[in-house]
Amino acid sequence: MDYKNDIGYRKQTLKKLLYNIQKNEDLIVKALYDDFKKPEFEAVLTETNYVISDLKDTIKNISKWAKPKRVFPSLLNFPSTDYIYKEPYGRVLIISPWNYPFQLALCPLIAAVAAGNKVTVKPSELTPHTSAIIAKIVEKTFHINHVEVVEGGVEVSNKLLAERWDYIFFTGSVSVGKIVAKAAAENLTPVTLELGGKNPCVVDESADLKLAAKRIVWGKFINAGQTCIAPDYILIQKNMKVNFITFLIEEIIKAYGKKIDKSPDFARIINTKNWVRLDQMIERDKIIFGGETNHDKLYISPTLIEEPSLESAVMREEIFGPILPILTYETENDIHNIITKYEKPLAFYIFSENNSFAKKLIQKYSFGGGAVNDTVIHFSNKRLPFGGVGQSGIGAYHGQMSFDTFSHHKSIVKKGNWLDLPMRYAPYKDKLASIKRILDWL
Ligand code: NAD
């Protein structure tokens, strides 16, 4: 078992992982349902199938990604051949959240294994069925000294964080991200922090309102709004609001029917704590659609809130649930005043047919990533780095960037011996003018 140096071994274990995931796909989907009634379609699309596709892509490309990369040498070092070696960090800790509990534990695990690390994964305690099946699959696939799953809550997480690691990959809330960063700082351990934020969704007067409503409803209410890149709030041009709300309501009913609590396509809130937090966010006098809640069933229906105050609970923190506040603007200054009230978000969405308006917003505001005329889908392109900026996160992954995240990039200059230019060596006397000329020329 030489996972550090033997790429064949890494590939072989990843193929075994693929086999075990495919074999257990039904059980994984069932575990996700048992945890919070994640609809089968969403479980396959955003969890099992996403992981399988990531795994296949990694197996296909691992040899290419792991190979030392030859880069153009610097003339200053002539003659040389220069390389970047990808070195595994060593012992890696992955701490994952509950909202996409399979995908967000497995995708970093796949990349960390591909890059040649020894891996410990701590999945979320809030999704015990999914965590158990992750542990079972990992146990069946990997040697215990290569990859292990440690199940448990905050206490277990803190115990792990007290150890010395070579890399920590954390996905979760901003507040816990700070705890992880502090623990990592103790040993100067490098980190990726995949966090959250309040993601704006701007809709201007040129937008195709009906299509915008359809795509926003999908991105907001998938996983019952418990998605880190879900649109958090709408900022719509004032004159368009009434029509837009009509379209939003139509699309919600089209997607989930009139009895949404009976729909097999709408998930539940993860636990009582989050249900209570969300229930308290709903300003009852500002509801324009939805607002039905059932504590015993951890159900909150898709809920539209009209013009809440910026000081209200729903506008103070990340919502992370099926509540959508709709705010309006008249001038670009109004947009600016709202967006800059918050930390840099993880995602930003613009619905507009006006390219220069969309481009202006993309360049003006700092955010992790996003989309024009859609929501959430930027996540699915392996060639786009996924991550936050500022308080929404540090680092980015997906595709080859995931492999690179778990590798130290080691620079090597291999110097030729057939020529040894004397210029750089002491004594420097009389050499300054010539070296300046050479540096200018370079
Ligand atoms: P969380 O921060 O509460 O928990 C994440 C992990 O940290 C869990 O494994 C948990 O056991 C552990 N943890 C919790 N409290 C801890 C503590 N005090 N000390 C040490 N470890 C602790 O997050 P969550 O509720 O599971 O997930 C929701 C949050 O995650 C949202 O803010 C969401 O935006 C964010 N998120 C981000 C991404 C992303 O890719 N950027 C993806 C999913 C979720």
mmCIF file with all atom_site columns, all heavy atoms in Angstrom, residues 323-343:
data_model
loop_
_atom_site.group_PDB
_atom_site.id
_atom_site.type_symbol
_atom_site.label_atom_id
_atom_site.label_alt_id
_atom_site.label_comp_id
_atom_site.label_asym_id
_atom_site.label_entity_id
_atom_site.label_seq_id
_atom_site.pdbx_PDB_ins_code
_atom_site.Cartn_x
_atom_site.Cartn_y
_atom_site.Cartn_z
_atom_site.occupancy
_atom_site.B_iso_or_equiv
_atom_site.pdbx_formal_charge
_atom_site.auth_seq_id
_atom_site.auth_comp_id
_atom_site.auth_asym_id
_atom_site.auth_atom_id
_atom_site.pdbx_PDB_model_num
ATOM 1   N N   . ILE A 1 323 ? -37.285 30.193 2.387   1.00 0.00 ? 323 ILE A N   1
ATOM 2   C CA  . ILE A 1 323 ? -37.913 31.517 2.536   1.00 0.00 ? 323 ILE A CA  1
ATOM 3   C C   . ILE A 1 323 ? -37.210 32.474 1.584   1.00 0.00 ? 323 ILE A C   1
ATOM 4   O O   . ILE A 1 323 ? -35.974 32.565 1.593   1.00 0.00 ? 323 ILE A O   1
ATOM 5   C CB  . ILE A 1 323 ? -37.757 32.027 3.987   1.00 0.00 ? 323 ILE A CB  1
ATOM 6   C CG1 . ILE A 1 323 ? -38.316 30.994 4.975   1.00 0.00 ? 323 ILE A CG1 1
ATOM 7   C CG2 . ILE A 1 323 ? -38.436 33.373 4.167   1.00 0.00 ? 323 ILE A CG2 1
ATOM 8   C CD1 . ILE A 1 323 ? -37.941 31.285 6.425   1.00 0.00 ? 323 ILE A CD1 1
ATOM 9   N N   . LEU A 1 324 ? -38.005 33.160 0.767   1.00 0.00 ? 324 LEU A N   1
ATOM 10  C CA  . LEU A 1 324 ? -37.405 34.055 -0.234  1.00 0.00 ? 324 LEU A CA  1
ATOM 11  C C   . LEU A 1 324 ? -37.912 35.488 -0.052  1.00 0.00 ? 324 LEU A C   1
ATOM 12  O O   . LEU A 1 324 ? -39.057 35.799 -0.390  1.00 0.00 ? 324 LEU A O   1
ATOM 13  C CB  . LEU A 1 324 ? -37.742 33.551 -1.644  1.00 0.00 ? 324 LEU A CB  1
ATOM 14  C CG  . LEU A 1 324 ? -37.112 34.312 -2.806  1.00 0.00 ? 324 LEU A CG  1
ATOM 15  C CD1 . LEU A 1 324 ? -35.592 34.284 -2.736  1.00 0.00 ? 324 LEU A CD1 1
ATOM 16  C CD2 . LEU A 1 324 ? -37.588 33.742 -4.146  1.00 0.00 ? 324 LEU A CD2 1
ATOM 17  N N   . PRO A 1 325 ? -37.059 36.383 0.474   1.00 0.00 ? 325 PRO A N   1
ATOM 18  C CA  . PRO A 1 325 ? -37.468 37.787 0.592   1.00 0.00 ? 325 PRO A CA  1
ATOM 19  C C   . PRO A 1 325 ? -37.349 38.492 -0.763  1.00 0.00 ? 325 PRO A C   1
ATOM 20  O O   . PRO A 1 325 ? -36.399 38.241 -1.503  1.00 0.00 ? 325 PRO A O   1
ATOM 21  C CB  . PRO A 1 325 ? -36.442 38.378 1.570   1.00 0.00 ? 325 PRO A CB  1
ATOM 22  C CG  . PRO A 1 325 ? -35.596 37.248 2.041   1.00 0.00 ? 325 PRO A CG  1
ATOM 23  C CD  . PRO A 1 325 ? -35.750 36.128 1.078   1.00 0.00 ? 325 PRO A CD  1
ATOM 24  N N   . ILE A 1 326 ? -38.320 39.347 -1.054  1.00 0.00 ? 326 ILE A N   1
ATOM 25  C CA  . ILE A 1 326 ? -38.286 40.093 -2.314  1.00 0.00 ? 326 ILE A CA  1
ATOM 26  C C   . ILE A 1 326 ? -38.171 41.582 -2.007  1.00 0.00 ? 326 ILE A C   1
ATOM 27  O O   . ILE A 1 326 ? -39.088 42.182 -1.429  1.00 0.00 ? 326 ILE A O   1
ATOM 28  C CB  . ILE A 1 326 ? -39.542 39.785 -3.153  1.00 0.00 ? 326 ILE A CB  1
ATOM 29  C CG1 . ILE A 1 326 ? -39.538 38.287 -3.487  1.00 0.00 ? 326 ILE A CG1 1
ATOM 30  C CG2 . ILE A 1 326 ? -39.569 40.609 -4.443  1.00 0.00 ? 326 ILE A CG2 1
ATOM 31  C CD1 . ILE A 1 326 ? -40.871 37.734 -3.818  1.00 0.00 ? 326 ILE A CD1 1
ATOM 32  N N   . LEU A 1 327 ? -37.039 42.145 -2.373  1.00 0.00 ? 327 LEU A N   1
ATOM 33  C CA  . LEU A 1 327 ? -36.792 43.576 -2.161  1.00 0.00 ? 327 LEU A CA  1
ATOM 34  C C   . LEU A 1 327 ? -36.808 44.262 -3.515  1.00 0.00 ? 327 LEU A C   1
ATOM 35  O O   . LEU A 1 327 ? -36.582 43.617 -4.547  1.00 0.00 ? 327 LEU A O   1
ATOM 36  C CB  . LEU A 1 327 ? -35.418 43.799 -1.514  1.00 0.00 ? 327 LEU A CB  1
ATOM 37  C CG  . LEU A 1 327 ? -35.083 42.989 -0.258  1.00 0.00 ? 327 LEU A CG  1
ATOM 38  C CD1 . LEU A 1 327 ? -33.668 43.273 0.191   1.00 0.00 ? 327 LEU A CD1 1
ATOM 39  C CD2 . LEU A 1 327 ? -36.049 43.344 0.859   1.00 0.00 ? 327 LEU A CD2 1
ATOM 40  N N   . THR A 1 328 ? -37.050 45.567 -3.518  1.00 0.00 ? 328 THR A N   1
ATOM 41  C CA  . THR A 1 328 ? -37.071 46.270 -4.802  1.00 0.00 ? 328 THR A CA  1
ATOM 42  C C   . THR A 1 328 ? -36.018 47.377 -4.825  1.00 0.00 ? 328 THR A C   1
ATOM 43  O O   . THR A 1 328 ? -35.551 47.832 -3.779  1.00 0.00 ? 328 THR A O   1
ATOM 44  C CB  . THR A 1 328 ? -38.450 46.915 -5.066  1.00 0.00 ? 328 THR A CB  1
ATOM 45  O OG1 . THR A 1 328 ? -38.767 47.731 -3.941  1.00 0.00 ? 328 THR A OG1 1
ATOM 46  C CG2 . THR A 1 328 ? -39.518 45.878 -5.292  1.00 0.00 ? 328 THR A CG2 1
ATOM 47  N N   . TYR A 1 329 ? -35.663 47.773 -6.065  1.00 0.00 ? 329 TYR A N   1
ATOM 48  C CA  . TYR A 1 329 ? -34.764 48.915 -6.224  1.00 0.00 ? 329 TYR A CA  1
ATOM 49  C C   . TYR A 1 329 ? -35.283 49.811 -7.335  1.00 0.00 ? 329 TYR A C   1
ATOM 50  O O   . TYR A 1 329 ? -36.045 49.361 -8.202  1.00 0.00 ? 329 TYR A O   1
ATOM 51  C CB  . TYR A 1 329 ? -33.332 48.444 -6.527  1.00 0.00 ? 329 TYR A CB  1
ATOM 52  C CG  . TYR A 1 329 ? -33.138 47.850 -7.904  1.00 0.00 ? 329 TYR A CG  1
ATOM 53  C CD1 . TYR A 1 329 ? -32.825 48.655 -9.009  1.00 0.00 ? 329 TYR A CD1 1
ATOM 54  C CD2 . TYR A 1 329 ? -33.261 46.474 -8.131  1.00 0.00 ? 329 TYR A CD2 1
ATOM 55  C CE1 . TYR A 1 329 ? -32.640 48.107 -10.269 1.00 0.00 ? 329 TYR A CE1 1
ATOM 56  C CE2 . TYR A 1 329 ? -33.079 45.929 -9.389  1.00 0.00 ? 329 TYR A CE2 1
ATOM 57  C CZ  . TYR A 1 329 ? -32.777 46.749 -10.457 1.00 0.00 ? 329 TYR A CZ  1
ATOM 58  O OH  . TYR A 1 329 ? -32.606 46.218 -11.708 1.00 0.00 ? 329 TYR A OH  1
ATOM 59  N N   . GLU A 1 330 ? -34.856 51.077 -7.295  1.00 0.00 ? 330 GLU A N   1
ATOM 60  C CA  . GLU A 1 330 ? -35.191 51.977 -8.398  1.00 0.00 ? 330 GLU A CA  1
ATOM 61  C C   . GLU A 1 330 ? -33.927 52.403 -9.129  1.00 0.00 ? 330 GLU A C   1
ATOM 62  O O   . GLU A 1 330 ? -33.900 52.528 -10.340 1.00 0.00 ? 330 GLU A O   1
ATOM 63  C CB  . GLU A 1 330 ? -35.952 53.197 -7.859  1.00 0.00 ? 330 GLU A CB  1
ATOM 64  C CG  . GLU A 1 330 ? -37.393 52.836 -7.537  1.00 0.00 ? 330 GLU A CG  1
ATOM 65  C CD  . GLU A 1 330 ? -38.164 53.989 -6.952  1.00 0.00 ? 330 GLU A CD  1
ATOM 66  O OE1 . GLU A 1 330 ? -38.749 54.763 -7.729  1.00 0.00 ? 330 GLU A OE1 1
ATOM 67  O OE2 . GLU A 1 330 ? -38.163 54.118 -5.699  1.00 0.00 ? 330 GLU A OE2 1
ATOM 68  N N   . THR A 1 331 ? -32.850 52.613 -8.360  1.00 0.00 ? 331 THR A N   1
ATOM 69  C CA  . THR A 1 331 ? -31.600 53.063 -8.985  1.00 0.00 ? 331 THR A CA  1
ATOM 70  C C   . THR A 1 331 ? -30.492 52.065 -8.653  1.00 0.00 ? 331 THR A C   1
ATOM 71  O O   . THR A 1 331 ? -30.626 51.265 -7.726  1.00 0.00 ? 331 THR A O   1
ATOM 72  C CB  . THR A 1 331 ? -31.180 54.432 -8.419  1.00 0.00 ? 331 THR A CB  1
ATOM 73  O OG1 . THR A 1 331 ? -30.888 54.239 -7.027  1.00 0.00 ? 331 THR A OG1 1
ATOM 74  C CG2 . THR A 1 331 ? -32.267 55.471 -8.580  1.00 0.00 ? 331 THR A CG2 1
ATOM 75  N N   . GLU A 1 332 ? -29.406 52.181 -9.410  1.00 0.00 ? 332 GLU A N   1
ATOM 76  C CA  . GLU A 1 332 ? -28.261 51.291 -9.129  1.00 0.00 ? 332 GLU A CA  1
ATOM 77  C C   . GLU A 1 332 ? -27.674 51.572 -7.745  1.00 0.00 ? 332 GLU A C   1
ATOM 78  O O   . GLU A 1 332 ? -27.070 50.710 -7.125  1.00 0.00 ? 332 GLU A O   1
ATOM 79  C CB  . GLU A 1 332 ? -27.197 51.439 -10.216 1.00 0.00 ? 332 GLU A CB  1
ATOM 80  C CG  . GLU A 1 332 ? -27.622 50.726 -11.486 1.00 0.00 ? 332 GLU A CG  1
ATOM 81  C CD  . GLU A 1 332 ? -26.576 50.736 -12.586 1.00 0.00 ? 332 GLU A CD  1
ATOM 82  O OE1 . GLU A 1 332 ? -25.363 50.840 -12.273 1.00 0.00 ? 332 GLU A OE1 1
ATOM 83  O OE2 . GLU A 1 332 ? -26.980 50.676 -13.757 1.00 0.00 ? 332 GLU A OE2 1
ATOM 84  N N   . ASN A 1 333 ? -27.894 52.778 -7.296  1.00 0.00 ? 333 ASN A N   1
ATOM 85  C CA  . ASN A 1 333 ? -27.446 53.142 -5.950  1.00 0.00 ? 333 ASN A CA  1
ATOM 86  C C   . ASN A 1 333 ? -28.174 52.320 -4.876  1.00 0.00 ? 333 ASN A C   1
ATOM 87  O O   . ASN A 1 333 ? -27.580 51.913 -3.882  1.00 0.00 ? 333 ASN A O   1
ATOM 88  C CB  . ASN A 1 333 ? -27.724 54.634 -5.730  1.00 0.00 ? 333 ASN A CB  1
ATOM 89  C CG  . ASN A 1 333 ? -26.562 55.259 -5.013  1.00 0.00 ? 333 ASN A CG  1
ATOM 90  O OD1 . ASN A 1 333 ? -25.498 54.632 -4.892  1.00 0.00 ? 333 ASN A OD1 1
ATOM 91  N ND2 . ASN A 1 333 ? -26.758 56.474 -4.517  1.00 0.00 ? 333 ASN A ND2 1
ATOM 92  N N   . ASP A 1 334 ? -29.479 52.082 -5.123  1.00 0.00 ? 334 ASP A N   1
ATOM 93  C CA  . ASP A 1 334 ? -30.255 51.253 -4.177  1.00 0.00 ? 334 ASP A CA  1
ATOM 94  C C   . ASP A 1 334 ? -29.657 49.842 -4.114  1.00 0.00 ? 334 ASP A C   1
ATOM 95  O O   . ASP A 1 334 ? -29.522 49.259 -3.031  1.00 0.00 ? 334 ASP A O   1
ATOM 96  C CB  . ASP A 1 334 ? -31.729 51.115 -4.615  1.00 0.00 ? 334 ASP A CB  1
ATOM 97  C CG  . ASP A 1 334 ? -32.451 52.446 -4.659  1.00 0.00 ? 334 ASP A CG  1
ATOM 98  O OD1 . ASP A 1 334 ? -31.987 53.392 -3.987  1.00 0.00 ? 334 ASP A OD1 1
ATOM 99  O OD2 . ASP A 1 334 ? -33.479 52.538 -5.374  1.00 0.00 ? 334 ASP A OD2 1
ATOM 100 N N   . ILE A 1 335 ? -29.299 49.309 -5.305  1.00 0.00 ? 335 ILE A N   1
ATOM 101 C CA  . ILE A 1 335 ? -28.697 47.959 -5.341  1.00 0.00 ? 335 ILE A CA  1
ATOM 102 C C   . ILE A 1 335 ? -27.411 47.979 -4.517  1.00 0.00 ? 335 ILE A C   1
ATOM 103 O O   . ILE A 1 335 ? -27.178 47.111 -3.673  1.00 0.00 ? 335 ILE A O   1
ATOM 104 C CB  . ILE A 1 335 ? -28.353 47.547 -6.802  1.00 0.00 ? 335 ILE A CB  1
ATOM 105 C CG1 . ILE A 1 335 ? -29.603 47.483 -7.668  1.00 0.00 ? 335 ILE A CG1 1
ATOM 106 C CG2 . ILE A 1 335 ? -27.599 46.221 -6.834  1.00 0.00 ? 335 ILE A CG2 1
ATOM 107 C CD1 . ILE A 1 335 ? -29.344 47.086 -9.119  1.00 0.00 ? 335 ILE A CD1 1
ATOM 108 N N   . HIS A 1 336 ? -26.617 49.003 -4.771  1.00 0.00 ? 336 HIS A N   1
ATOM 109 C CA  . HIS A 1 336 ? -25.313 49.114 -4.109  1.00 0.00 ? 336 HIS A CA  1
ATOM 110 C C   . HIS A 1 336 ? -25.468 49.153 -2.585  1.00 0.00 ? 336 HIS A C   1
ATOM 111 O O   . HIS A 1 336 ? -24.746 48.468 -1.859  1.00 0.00 ? 336 HIS A O   1
ATOM 112 C CB  . HIS A 1 336 ? -24.600 50.372 -4.614  1.00 0.00 ? 336 HIS A CB  1
ATOM 113 C CG  . HIS A 1 336 ? -23.198 50.483 -4.119  1.00 0.00 ? 336 HIS A CG  1
ATOM 114 N ND1 . HIS A 1 336 ? -22.175 49.728 -4.632  1.00 0.00 ? 336 HIS A ND1 1
ATOM 115 C CD2 . HIS A 1 336 ? -22.651 51.240 -3.124  1.00 0.00 ? 336 HIS A CD2 1
ATOM 116 C CE1 . HIS A 1 336 ? -21.053 50.006 -3.996  1.00 0.00 ? 336 HIS A CE1 1
ATOM 117 N NE2 . HIS A 1 336 ? -21.316 50.927 -3.072  1.00 0.00 ? 336 HIS A NE2 1
ATOM 118 N N   . ASN A 1 337 ? -26.426 49.950 -2.126  1.00 0.00 ? 337 ASN A N   1
ATOM 119 C CA  . ASN A 1 337 ? -26.590 50.105 -0.672  1.00 0.00 ? 337 ASN A CA  1
ATOM 120 C C   . ASN A 1 337 ? -26.971 48.793 0.003   1.00 0.00 ? 337 ASN A C   1
ATOM 121 O O   . ASN A 1 337 ? -26.563 48.535 1.136   1.00 0.00 ? 337 ASN A O   1
ATOM 122 C CB  . ASN A 1 337 ? -27.668 51.150 -0.364  1.00 0.00 ? 337 ASN A CB  1
ATOM 123 C CG  . ASN A 1 337 ? -27.162 52.538 -0.701  1.00 0.00 ? 337 ASN A CG  1
ATOM 124 O OD1 . ASN A 1 337 ? -25.943 52.741 -0.819  1.00 0.00 ? 337 ASN A OD1 1
ATOM 125 N ND2 . ASN A 1 337 ? -28.072 53.478 -0.926  1.00 0.00 ? 337 ASN A ND2 1
ATOM 126 N N   . ILE A 1 338 ? -27.727 47.972 -0.691  1.00 0.00 ? 338 ILE A N   1
ATOM 127 C CA  . ILE A 1 338 ? -28.132 46.697 -0.079  1.00 0.00 ? 338 ILE A CA  1
ATOM 128 C C   . ILE A 1 338 ? -26.991 45.682 -0.150  1.00 0.00 ? 338 ILE A C   1
ATOM 129 O O   . ILE A 1 338 ? -26.615 45.076 0.856   1.00 0.00 ? 338 ILE A O   1
ATOM 130 C CB  . ILE A 1 338 ? -29.415 46.161 -0.746  1.00 0.00 ? 338 ILE A CB  1
ATOM 131 C CG1 . ILE A 1 338 ? -30.575 47.114 -0.409  1.00 0.00 ? 338 ILE A CG1 1
ATOM 132 C CG2 . ILE A 1 338 ? -29.724 44.734 -0.267  1.00 0.00 ? 338 ILE A CG2 1
ATOM 133 C CD1 . ILE A 1 338 ? -31.867 46.825 -1.078  1.00 0.00 ? 338 ILE A CD1 1
ATOM 134 N N   . ILE A 1 339 ? -26.424 45.532 -1.327  1.00 0.00 ? 339 ILE A N   1
ATOM 135 C CA  . ILE A 1 339 ? -25.386 44.489 -1.488  1.00 0.00 ? 339 ILE A CA  1
ATOM 136 C C   . ILE A 1 339 ? -24.178 44.749 -0.586  1.00 0.00 ? 339 ILE A C   1
ATOM 137 O O   . ILE A 1 339 ? -23.630 43.823 0.018   1.00 0.00 ? 339 ILE A O   1
ATOM 138 C CB  . ILE A 1 339 ? -24.978 44.383 -2.971  1.00 0.00 ? 339 ILE A CB  1
ATOM 139 C CG1 . ILE A 1 339 ? -26.088 43.623 -3.700  1.00 0.00 ? 339 ILE A CG1 1
ATOM 140 C CG2 . ILE A 1 339 ? -23.647 43.652 -3.153  1.00 0.00 ? 339 ILE A CG2 1
ATOM 141 C CD1 . ILE A 1 339 ? -25.995 43.623 -5.178  1.00 0.00 ? 339 ILE A CD1 1
ATOM 142 N N   . THR A 1 340 ? -23.791 46.006 -0.458  1.00 0.00 ? 340 THR A N   1
ATOM 143 C CA  . THR A 1 340 ? -22.584 46.298 0.326   1.00 0.00 ? 340 THR A CA  1
ATOM 144 C C   . THR A 1 340 ? -22.833 46.277 1.838   1.00 0.00 ? 340 THR A C   1
ATOM 145 O O   . THR A 1 340 ? -21.931 46.467 2.626   1.00 0.00 ? 340 THR A O   1
ATOM 146 C CB  . THR A 1 340 ? -21.970 47.659 -0.092  1.00 0.00 ? 340 THR A CB  1
ATOM 147 O OG1 . THR A 1 340 ? -23.012 48.645 0.007   1.00 0.00 ? 340 THR A OG1 1
ATOM 148 C CG2 . THR A 1 340 ? -21.416 47.600 -1.494  1.00 0.00 ? 340 THR A CG2 1
ATOM 149 N N   . LYS A 1 341 ? -24.088 46.058 2.213   1.00 0.00 ? 341 LYS A N   1
ATOM 150 C CA  . LYS A 1 341 ? -24.397 45.924 3.644   1.00 0.00 ? 341 LYS A CA  1
ATOM 151 C C   . LYS A 1 341 ? -23.859 44.591 4.183   1.00 0.00 ? 341 LYS A C   1
ATOM 152 O O   . LYS A 1 341 ? -23.680 44.417 5.379   1.00 0.00 ? 341 LYS A O   1
ATOM 153 C CB  . LYS A 1 341 ? -25.930 45.941 3.786   1.00 0.00 ? 341 LYS A CB  1
ATOM 154 C CG  . LYS A 1 341 ? -26.442 46.583 5.054   1.00 0.00 ? 341 LYS A CG  1
ATOM 155 C CD  . LYS A 1 341 ? -27.944 46.609 5.026   1.00 0.00 ? 341 LYS A CD  1
ATOM 156 C CE  . LYS A 1 341 ? -28.590 45.996 6.243   1.00 0.00 ? 341 LYS A CE  1
ATOM 157 N NZ  . LYS A 1 341 ? -28.062 46.177 7.521   1.00 0.00 ? 341 LYS A NZ  1
ATOM 158 N N   . TYR A 1 342 ? -23.635 43.632 3.277   1.00 0.00 ? 342 TYR A N   1
ATOM 159 C CA  . TYR A 1 342 ? -23.270 42.279 3.691   1.00 0.00 ? 342 TYR A CA  1
ATOM 160 C C   . TYR A 1 342 ? -21.825 41.947 3.307   1.00 0.00 ? 342 TYR A C   1
ATOM 161 O O   . TYR A 1 342 ? -21.230 42.605 2.460   1.00 0.00 ? 342 TYR A O   1
ATOM 162 C CB  . TYR A 1 342 ? -24.220 41.253 3.029   1.00 0.00 ? 342 TYR A CB  1
ATOM 163 C CG  . TYR A 1 342 ? -25.661 41.523 3.372   1.00 0.00 ? 342 TYR A CG  1
ATOM 164 C CD1 . TYR A 1 342 ? -26.502 42.160 2.466   1.00 0.00 ? 342 TYR A CD1 1
ATOM 165 C CD2 . TYR A 1 342 ? -26.165 41.192 4.624   1.00 0.00 ? 342 TYR A CD2 1
ATOM 166 C CE1 . TYR A 1 342 ? -27.826 42.442 2.796   1.00 0.00 ? 342 TYR A CE1 1
ATOM 167 C CE2 . TYR A 1 342 ? -27.477 41.463 4.958   1.00 0.00 ? 342 TYR A CE2 1
ATOM 168 C CZ  . TYR A 1 342 ? -28.306 42.093 4.043   1.00 0.00 ? 342 TYR A CZ  1
ATOM 169 O OH  . TYR A 1 342 ? -29.598 42.375 4.386   1.00 0.00 ? 342 TYR A OH  1
ATOM 170 N N   . GLU A 1 343 ? -21.330 40.884 3.925   1.00 0.00 ? 343 GLU A N   1
ATOM 171 C CA  . GLU A 1 343 ? -20.006 40.364 3.563   1.00 0.00 ? 343 GLU A CA  1
ATOM 172 C C   . GLU A 1 343 ? -20.053 39.837 2.123   1.00 0.00 ? 343 GLU A C   1
ATOM 173 O O   . GLU A 1 343 ? -21.130 39.574 1.591   1.00 0.00 ? 343 GLU A O   1
ATOM 174 C CB  . GLU A 1 343 ? -19.618 39.222 4.512   1.00 0.00 ? 343 GLU A CB  1
ATOM 175 C CG  . GLU A 1 343 ? -19.461 39.634 5.961   1.00 0.00 ? 343 GLU A CG  1
ATOM 176 C CD  . GLU A 1 343 ? -18.212 40.467 6.214   1.00 0.00 ? 343 GLU A CD  1
ATOM 177 O OE1 . GLU A 1 343 ? -17.318 40.514 5.347   1.00 0.00 ? 343 GLU A OE1 1
ATOM 178 O OE2 . GLU A 1 343 ? -18.137 41.086 7.299   1.00 0.00 ? 343 GLU A OE2 1
#
